[in-house]
Amino acid sequence: MGMQTVWIGEKRLCQVTVSGFQDVPGFGLLPRGRVNGGAEIVRGARARLLRHGVVIAEDLRIGALMGKAGLTSRLEARERIGILGRCVLAIGHRGVLDGDQIQAYVRAEPAGVPPDLVLGYQDAFPEQRRLLGRAEVREVAADPLAGPVARAVVTEGGLAVGARVRVVRDGRPVAEALRLLALADGGGGPLDELTQASTGTLYLGHPDVRPGDVVQAYDVPPPQQTEGRKRLLTVLSAGSNATVAVARVQPVQFSPHGGEELAVGHRARVLRDEVVVADGLTVGMVEEPGMLKEVGVSYGLDTRVGWLDVGVDFPGLQSGDEIEPYEVLPAGHEPEPEIRRPESRRFLIGLTIGLGAVIASFGSADIWAAVMAWRSFRTPSADDGALDGGSALGLVLLFTVLTALCTWMLVLGHVRQRQWREQARRRSGAAGGVR
């Protein structure tokens, strides 16, 4: 991920925000969520895991994709699920948390190489890999949710759930950068690993596995750096000279992001029709556009609408392109937790409407009680059951206190939201230096 051009040619499909987990036979707990930010999710696509905008894991696979069958709660295997569809998926990573985002993509095909043979972003060259284990496939069985599963015997080393694996047939690779989604013993019981000379079932999430194939697990050196993404920006208009482009952009609501502040010196890549066409760029200018100043400084709020001006060193920028700003971070960077509601403007709008209705009701009752008190003192009623002046004054005091209390709560909510947003700016600004 440290190379400037490794993303070139990647085509983004969609993303899934994890909203919970489901126990799936053969797999254990798998993340579930709704498809958004693209067209559809496809079984077999590659994936990365993001947490508050920081890339946590790369070179994952959508090895199994499931959705509910009709109106029932039963899961069925799917090849693809469209936008806004709910799904359960296996990606070969056990560290997924609620609120994480899974971004699905496909790699470019360099020189006509089939996509399954394209190495992962973090892969070493095959001759430089350290072999962890090797297993020979004896037979292939069908699983209703996982598709073809391989019953294999480990002939060397060991295999563990989540390991990076490749499939070799007749001495030649037929699939690269797969993930071992799950393991099971002879009776179907889940396993964490298989050791040498043991036999088990391998869930690879790859449709083309045959008896006689060899599954190799290999080690991948840990990355030295990762990235923290800002919100994706849609280019509304762009002007350029021979070296740089200045674009008027609008934040995209559902893009994975972490820090709220976009700063000069942040890195960027450009997407055109969901394909990465340039990477390793530098954000050279961020102009705060007057009355829409908050959009440029705090555009992480998902209800913000507006534009800001951004300059990047990519003269070929066009209207309709998307700019993805990011910070280069150390690999051990701990993502900052996302600011939760009531920071959200949507929540505050609901709070304002609710408390406003209550304030209006109590205010009206206060006016009514004041009128009744005035009438009681001016012309005392002969009816013993009528509201007397003392009671009316007590109601005036009560409704005044309630109205003042609700008004104070509403003002406090707006003040606290502004404070939290200011804290977010300072926090992201402190971490905003280029690394």
Side-chain angles (χ1 to χ4, degrees):
M1 291 177 59
M3 298 174 60
Q4 293 190 356
T5 59
V6 294
W7 303 86
I8 301 298
E10 172 185 303
K11 181 176 178 60
R12 303 281 173 83
L13 299 179
C14 64
Q15 63 199 30
V16 175
T17 300
V18 178
S19 58
F21 299 87
Q22 186 159 342
D23 194 1
V24 179
F27 292 98
L29 286 178
L30 292 182
R32 67 169 184 262
R34 189 186 293 275
V35 180
N36 58 54
E40 61 181 5
I41 193 168
V42 179
R43 180 178 178 271
R46 306 198 185 198
R48 64 178 57 93
L49 183 66
L50 297 106
R51 183 168 301 150
H52 310 312
V54 178
V55 178
I56 299 298
E58 182 57 271
D59 295 335
L60 306 173
R61 284 271 187 164
I62 311 295
L65 182 64
M66 293 154 268
K68 289 186 177 180
L71 299 177
T72 68
S73 59
R74 181 175 60 87
L75 291 177
E76 64 179 9
R78 301 279 187 86
E79 288 300 315
R80 58 189 68 237
I81 294 179
I83 188 72
L84 299 183
R86 294 188 178 276
C87 65
V88 177
L89 62 168
I91 59 174
H93 193 279
R94 287 187 160 186
V96 181
L97 301 179
D98 194 12
D100 287 353
Q101 289 182 306
I102 299 168
Q103 186 176 70
Y105 62 92
V106 292
R107 291 294 306 273
E109 301 179 25
V113 176
D116 279 333
L117 290 179
V118 178
L119 301 180
Y121 285 123
Q122 297 170 346
D123 270 340
F125 291 108
E127 60 272 13
Q128 299 174 351
R129 293 171 177 167
R130 185 169 68 91
L131 188 68
L132 299 179
R134 179 184 285 111
E136 294 181 359
V137 178
R138 299 297 170 84
E139 61 176 323
V140 176
D143 185 277
L145 296 178
V149 296
R151 305 194 191 281
V153 58
V154 179
T155 58
E156 181 180 348
L159 279 71
V161 174
R164 189 81 58 85
V165 296
R166 69 197 301 232
V167 178
V168 178
R169 182 177 301 150
D170 298 327
R172 294 185 177 181
V174 294
E176 291 280 4
L178 297 176
R179 291 280 181 161
L180 189 52
L181 305 177
L183 288 169
D185 57 22
L191 296 173
D192 289 330
E193 59 180 348
L194 281 176
T195 56
Q196 188 169 351
S198 59
T199 302
T201 301
L202 314 182
Y203 290 70
L204 298 174
H206 186 66
D208 184 19
V209 182
R210 305 175 189 177
D213 288 349
V214 175
V215 177
Q216 297 177 348
Y218 56 92
D219 188 26
V220 176
Q224 299 300 309
Q225 59 190 34
T226 185
E227 65 179 49
R229 295 184 180 176
K230 309 302 178 183
R231 193 176 290 276
L232 200 65
L233 307 172
T234 299
V235 177
L236 304 178
S237 61
S240 63
N241 56 29
T243 57
V244 299
V246 176
R248 180 153 293 179
V249 298
Q250 188 173 55
V252 177
Q253 181 175 355
F254 293 108
S255 55
H257 68 286
E260 305 254 343
E261 184 172 327
L262 178 63
V264 171
H266 285 172
R267 310 307 296 271
R269 59 181 61 95
V270 174
L271 291 86
R272 183 168 297 158
D273 297 325
E274 307 299 332
V275 176
V276 178
V277 297
D279 190 20
L281 308 175
T282 301
V283 176
M285 184 272 288
V286 179
E287 182 179 346
E288 300 172 0
M291 68 177 183
L292 293 176
K293 177 178 179 180
E294 279 191 323
V295 179
V297 180
S298 185
Y299 64 90
L301 301 181
D302 58 10
T303 52
R304 287 291 178 197
V305 177
W307 51 262
L308 64 151
D309 290 337
V310 174
V312 293
D313 51 340
F314 183 66
L317 198 65
Q318 302 175 7
S319 298
D321 288 350
E322 292 178 313
I323 300 174
E324 184 174 70
Y326 61 92
E327 297 177 73
V328 178
L329 302 171
H333 176 78
E334 190 68 25
E336 292 283 356
E338 185 179 8
I339 298 177
R340 299 292 185 178
R341 293 176 179 177
E343 173 269 342
S344 167
R345 188 181 177 188
R346 187 181 307 166
F347 175 85
L348 201 61
I349 288 175
L351 180 68
T352 302
I353 293 174
L355 285 180
V358 173
I359 291 170
S361 299
F362 285 146
S364 300
D366 196 12
I367 295 172
W368 169 81
V371 170
M372 294 301 295
W374 174 255
R375 287 179 178 177
S376 297
F377 284 113
R378 287 289 302 270
T379 55
S381 175
D383 185 3
D384 293 338
L387 188 68
D388 58 26
S391 299
L393 283 176
L395 288 176
V396 170
L397 180 60
L398 173 64
F399 289 134
T400 300
V401 170
L402 291 175
T403 303
L405 180 62
C406 292
T407 304
W408 175 78
M409 291 172 60
L410 183 58
V411 172
L412 181 63
H414 281 272
V415 171
R416 289 296 295 164
Q417 187 206 38
R418 181 170 297 180
Q419 290 174 348
W420 287 332
R421 280 166 41 197
E422 194 64 34
Q423 291 172 5
R425 294 191 192 108
R426 289 197 299 266
R427 187 178 62 198
S428 61
V434 179
R435 295 169 171 84

